[in-house]
Amino acid sequence: MMTRPARTFFTILLLIFFLPMGLKAEGPLQERHVPEVMERFFRYHVEKKSLTPQIVKRCFAMYIAHFDPDKCYMLKEEVAAFISISDGKAKKIARRMQQGDFSDFHEVDVALQRAIIRSRELREDLGDWVSQGSPNAHIKPYTDYAAGKGELKMRTRAKLTRFFTQHQRHTPLQTKERRMRLVGLFEEKIQEKEQVYLHQDTEGDSLDAAAKENNFCVRILKAFAKSLDAHSSYFSEEEAKDMRLHLEKQFEGFGIVLGESIDGVFIAKVIPGSPAEKNGNIFAKDQVVEVDGDATRQMSFTHVLDRLKKRSDPRLVLGLKRRGAVFYVELEKAPIVMDQERISTKYSPFGSGIIGAITLRSFYDNGGDVTSEKDIKKALQALREKGDIKGLILDLRENGGGFLSQAVKVASLFISSGVVVISKYGQNEMHYLRSIDPRKSYEGPLLILTSKISASAAEIVAQALQDYGGALVAGDTRSFGKGAIQYQTITAPETDIFFKVTIGKYYTVSGRTTQMRGVIADIVIPTSFAPFLVGEEYLQHPLKPDWVHSAYEDHLSDVDPRVKGWLKQNYTPYVQKKLT
């Protein structure tokens, strides 16, 4: 019988062997670096291998969309000048891009800068409009860019209306003075985003040449990555840090989440188990008036965040204000494990035992003791202490995925042995991720809850256990539909360039993929997400679904011949049979 460490070795071996190494860059990005990064994407991507006219056009479209996602800046004719181009012109642009010449994107930036100046003129009378009462404009998503300046102005007012609606929930806006202050905050937040394209920092000062070029290259690479498929992405260093926190569920910090209102910066949340909670005198809604002795009154929200996040000093002194009184707290940075965002359990009595429920919010792994697999095993043990588990519910309704390796390990807790994931890469290479330990952590009735936002690793677990007949799936008609595999450098220790690229598609043991189609529920119980248009099919440039041969009978076709004999003796006899 194989032990758990041996099973972990086989799973990790497959993942590491077939995934490429990260990319190391020195200093800020330069335009001459961009073709090399693009080539890396093409080398790894499951389908796209060269800079075609289609990708060039998509790249322009994504570049503009990242700047103007609400379609409140650019006119239809201005956008068409860049995306409605002939294939011949797109080929010429592709050749220039491959040579490190991105002059065409500099032209786009000039158009965006003009749009910013125009938008600021259109926003000049927002204060007069708001002073007459609460904003009231038609709010709807726009499927196309505006035809004229009048339509742009209407859309900007609608954007302000959304901003008002969000702030009215926690900020009194009855007086004209407070409404005008909110207009000022609205303008400040918009200008922060505009400053990126005007080559300014968050304080409005001009960037140096190196920072300007780096930001320009990041914008190009973001647009390029999204032009390949819905899930390939390029990240700034700050974005990568936030994603790493989500994947690993552990970071070092003070444990406060900040918010912003017309009254200034405030404590939006205190993270359980953090230095801030242990201090005992910091609460949500406390206003932050000083950071290390400096008043926050003249600081932008981004500047205050940077003072907390980008600091080498582990000690922090905050001036807080509550009910008009100012007081000071001292905090020291410490490791924080985000337990509340990992797993939760509950149970109900049933007959001579209990029905247990485990909610798993993502598939995480910090490289140590914090993993989804270990947390579920602990949760099962805790439930057994409450009574005999007559049935189990695994709630994945708000689980958007995570590490593929953790999906395999979690599914392995509920089957004896067998293939969990079949992955298909470029050139139709097929590989199999297996559960090799025949022991089950739980054997009994299992119900998996899913929704339209259950995605990726959550869909692997739900469909794999559904395939084997080890679980029923209940929830929305189908789940999100993400069946693509990404390689990412976000958690790699030796990289200064952060990206994820789609390198293949996954299928469960039945040979079915969840790509586009999602996991089909056995029992339809609509969730709160049911009315919304959510899923892979609504994303830009999704991969098409297909299928492969099932692997209920594992022929070990991808296994090294040196271990195949051992597996036939110690693994094959224990492979999970398909149940009804």
Side-chain angles (χ1 to χ4, degrees):
M1 184 179 292
M2 180 170 282
T3 63
R4 292 273 177 193
R7 180 183 68 181
T8 301
F9 169 77
F10 271 88
T11 301
I12 292 176
L13 175 67
L14 285 169
L15 287 171
I16 290 176
F17 182 79
F18 292 113
L19 293 184
M21 298 296 290
L23 173 65
K24 182 76 172 176
E26 299 296 336
L29 279 173
Q30 299 174 18
E31 290 182 43
R32 63 185 178 88
H33 296 142
V34 175
E36 179 188 354
V37 180
M38 288 180 169
E39 183 55 37
R40 290 289 179 119
F41 272 87
F42 286 133
R43 192 181 310 165
Y44 303 154
H45 198 272
V46 62
E47 290 182 353
K48 307 297 190 295
K49 299 299 180 183
S50 63
L51 195 58
T52 62
Q54 180 193 49
I55 292 176
V56 169
K57 294 176 190 179
R58 286 182 180 180
C59 202
F60 278 125
M62 296 306 301
Y63 193 92
I64 294 170
H66 286 166
F67 162 74
D68 190 12
D70 298 322
K71 298 181 173 61
C72 293
Y73 284 90
M74 299 290 285
L75 296 176
K76 189 182 300 185
E77 61 181 359
E78 294 169 339
V79 175
F82 296 104
I83 64 175
S84 298
I85 57 176
S86 67
D87 285 354
K89 184 174 181 179
K91 286 179 182 178
K92 291 178 181 178
I93 295 171
R95 283 195 291 270
R96 288 196 286 271
M97 292 171 67
Q98 289 162 342
Q99 294 165 3
D101 177 357
F102 293 93
S103 54
D104 300 278
F105 287 88
H106 284 293
E107 288 183 22
V108 180
D109 270 4
V110 171
L112 302 186
Q113 289 161 7
R114 289 198 198 104
I116 289 170
I117 294 169
R118 178 176 60 209
S119 181
R120 290 184 175 184
E121 292 172 353
L122 294 174
R123 299 197 303 264
E124 284 178 356
D125 71 341
L126 283 181
D128 295 335
W129 179 57
V130 167
S131 66
Q132 301 169 17
S134 297
N136 183 18
H138 185 48
I139 302 174
K140 64 176 182 180
Y142 303 109
T143 58
D144 201 357
Y145 291 90
K149 290 172 65 175
E151 193 174 346
L152 284 178
K153 191 167 188 174
M154 181 197 71
R155 293 182 181 193
T156 302
R157 287 184 173 186
K159 192 171 183 177
L160 175 58
T161 299
R162 288 194 294 271
F163 192 76
F164 258 76
T165 302
Q166 291 165 1
H167 282 263
Q168 278 177 328
R169 295 168 187 163
H170 53 76
T171 305
L173 296 172
Q174 293 90 340
T175 67
K176 174 182 174 181
E177 186 268 339
R178 290 184 69 81
R179 291 196 296 271
M180 293 300 292
R181 282 167 62 184
L182 191 63
V183 173
L185 180 60
F186 174 74
E187 183 65 21
E188 178 186 320
K189 302 308 293 180
I190 284 184
Q191 289 200 18
E192 277 185 15
K193 295 179 180 178
E194 293 173 346
Q195 282 162 346
V196 175
Y197 292 87
L198 297 174
H199 314 304
Q200 298 171 347
D201 63 18
T202 54
E203 301 305 311
D205 298 323
S206 296
L207 296 173
D208 60 40
K212 176 181 173 181
E213 186 173 11
N214 179 78
N215 288 351
F216 177 64
C217 294
V218 168
R219 293 199 298 271
I220 290 172
L221 288 169
K222 280 180 169 292
F224 165 75
K226 282 299 177 190
S227 71
L228 301 180
D229 71 273
H231 298 291
S232 291
S233 301
Y234 187 90
F235 303 98
S236 68
E237 186 173 356
E238 283 303 306
E239 290 168 336
K241 285 180 181 178
D242 291 340
M243 282 202 66
R244 192 179 304 120
L245 182 155
H246 174 74
L247 288 169
E248 296 180 348
K249 299 301 181 189
Q250 181 171 293
F251 67 103
E252 195 171 75
F254 302 105
I256 54 175
V257 178
L258 299 182
E260 182 181 23
S261 73
I262 59 176
D263 298 312
V265 180
F266 63 93
I267 304 291
K269 181 181 179 182
V270 177
I271 297 174
S274 69
E277 186 194 49
K278 293 174 183 176
N279 177 274
N281 196 29
I282 304 174
F283 297 96
K285 298 187 179 180
D286 287 347
Q287 192 173 348
V288 181
V289 294
E290 287 185 23
V291 177
D292 294 329
D294 297 328
T296 61
R297 186 174 56 255
Q298 299 302 321
M299 296 183 193
S300 68
F301 180 66
T302 303
H303 189 190
V304 176
L305 280 178
D306 287 346
R307 288 284 296 267
L308 269 62
K309 292 167 68 176
K310 300 177 181 179
R311 59 190 294 119
S312 55
D313 188 350
R315 182 175 163 274
L316 171 69
V317 177
L318 288 179
L320 302 176
K321 186 176 181 180
R322 186 187 308 149
R323 292 190 292 272
V326 176
F327 59 98
Y328 296 88
V329 294
E330 184 175 323
L331 299 173
E332 185 125 4
K333 192 180 291 185
I336 299 171
V337 177
M338 300 175 71
D339 291 322
Q340 76 281 7
E341 294 187 12
R342 286 161 54 189
I343 197 169
S344 62
T345 60
K346 58 185 178 181
Y347 68 94
S348 296
F350 183 80
S352 59
I354 63 168
I355 299 293
I358 299 174
T359 299
L360 184 67
R361 295 175 178 84
S362 68
F363 289 84
Y364 45 86
D365 186 344
N366 75 341
D369 290 331
V370 179
T371 72
S372 305
E373 176 203 27
K374 290 178 181 178
D375 282 351
I376 287 183
K377 290 172 74 174
K378 290 176 186 175
L380 286 169
Q381 182 57 39
L383 287 171
R384 288 191 179 99
E385 292 173 4
K386 303 297 181 181
D388 184 24
I389 303 176
K390 301 295 186 179
L392 182 67
I393 298 167
L394 180 59
D395 189 347
L396 304 178
R397 284 176 294 181
E398 296 189 16
N399 190 314
F403 284 105
L404 174 65
S405 57
Q406 282 298 307
V408 175
K409 292 177 181 179
V410 168
S412 299
L413 299 176
F414 303 101
I415 62 173
S416 54
S417 291
V419 171
V420 176
V421 176
I422 307 166
S423 54
K424 185 172 75 170
Y425 301 97
Q427 312 303 319
N428 289 324
E429 294 175 77
M430 305 285 291
H431 304 291
Y432 301 81
L433 300 182
R434 302 169 171 87
S435 167
I436 296 179
D437 187 346
R439 296 172 298 177
K440 295 182 182 180
S441 292
Y442 169 78
E443 188 169 8
L446 176 62
L447 181 70
I448 299 178
L449 303 183
T450 60
S451 75
K452 282 187 174 183
I453 67 168
S454 301
S456 193
E459 294 177 289
I460 288 175
V461 171
Q463 185 162 291
L465 296 178
Q466 184 188 54
D467 284 350
Y468 278 114
L472 287 176
V473 175
D476 291 332
T477 305
R478 62 180 184 178
S479 58
F480 189 89
K482 180 181 179 293
I485 303 170
Q486 283 75 45
Y487 164 63
Q488 54 85 14
T489 65
I490 297 156
T491 57
E494 296 296 326
T495 183
D496 285 341
I497 292 182
F498 305 98
F499 63 91
K500 62 175 182 173
V501 56
T502 300
I503 59 173
K505 285 187 276 189
Y506 69 74
Y507 313 77
T508 50
V509 65
S510 64
R512 295 183 298 163
T513 180
T514 64
Q515 180 63 19
M516 296 283 279
R517 67 189 294 277
V519 181
I520 308 302
D522 299 299
I523 307 166
V524 176
I525 306 175
T527 73
S528 59
F529 304 106
F532 301 103
L533 301 178
V534 178
E536 186 82 2
E537 64 185 304
Y538 301 108
L539 299 182
Q540 288 184 299
H541 319 312
L543 299 180
K544 298 261 191 309
D546 60 353
W547 61 275
V548 297
H549 293 294
S550 66
Y552 292 111
E553 289 188 34
D554 189 354
H555 301 294
L556 306 174
S557 58
D558 63 328
V559 172
D560 189 318
R562 291 172 294 182
V563 297
K564 188 174 287 189
W566 187 94
L567 287 171
K568 285 182 176 179
Q569 182 178 350
N570 296 278
Y571 158 73
T572 302
Y574 305 102
V575 166
Q576 177 76 48
K577 303 299 182 186
K578 183 179 178 181
L579 306 173
T580 59

